[in-house]
Amino acid sequence: MRITARADLAASMLSLLDDDRCHRTTVGVITTVDNPTLLQWVRRDALAEK
C-alpha cells in the first residue's frame, strides 16, 4: 500500500502549473520518505482518538 502525504501532493500539483512537459498526460505522485507500513498505519488508525 502506498500513502502520499498531502504536502507532497499539493507541492507536485503546484509545480505542474508551470510545467508544459506534463500537458495531457497522467502524472503519479508518491511519498518516498517516512511511509508507514500497513501494520503501523492500522495501529495508528485504531489508536486514534475519535
Side-chain angles (χ1 to χ4, degrees), residues 28-43:
V29 179
I30 61 169
T31 298
T32 58
V33 178
D34 295 329
N35 266 337
T37 64
L38 179 59
L39 179 58
Q40 291 169 331
W41 184 69
V42 169
R43 184 182 295 142

Side-chain angles (χ1 to χ4, degrees), residues 4-46:
T4 300
R6 288 184 184 114
D8 291 340
L9 180 59
S12 66
M13 290 174 70
L14 289 173
S15 70
L16 289 173
L17 291 175
D18 294 330
D19 190 353
D20 291 336
R21 294 177 296 166
C22 298
H23 185 69
R24 294 187 164 271
T25 62
T26 302
V27 177
V29 179
I30 61 169
T31 298
T32 58
V33 178
D34 295 329
N35 266 337
T37 64
L38 179 59
L39 179 58
Q40 291 169 331
W41 184 69
V42 169
R43 184 182 295 142
R44 182 183 66 203
D45 193 50

